[in-house]
Amino acid sequence: MLKLIGILVLSSQLSVAVETNSGFVEASFPNTAAGAEALVGYAERTVGEPEDGVHIVVGWLNDADNDEHIVAKLSSVGIKHALASPADIRAAVAENKLPENSPTAVALAFKKRFAFLWKGKTK
């Protein structure tokens, strides 16, 4: 099954939601270079080695929030990522009745936009 990792960039923290076989698990790290490093390590350990791969999605709610640390870390290790806009994240929050700052909303916003990737999957 294709797994998602949603990262929500906030002013002081990086929140991550990692899709597992039993749903999303969330964690938060400081919005610093060290926090970005810790987030990537956590995500790798948590997601494991999914059969159909992983998509990483980075989103933000405020254009002033600094995404430099996480984008630099992902780039430095050659990890490609997609972006989820604030409007898509807010729509996912409302549709799924999630807290406003939920990183799961980042992943679900991507999943809704690219639902064709999941069609026909049995898991």
Side-chain angles (χ1 to χ4, degrees), residues 12-14 29-37 69-70:
S12 63
Q13 70 181 20
L14 300 168
F29 301 88
N31 190 353
T32 62
E37 177 97 18
H69 301 297
I70 192 61

Side-chain angles (χ1 to χ4, degrees), residues 1-3 49-54 121:
M1 180 174 146
L2 178 66
K3 302 287 182 155
E49 295 184 29
E51 182 179 308
D52 294 324
V54 174
K121 302 287 183 186

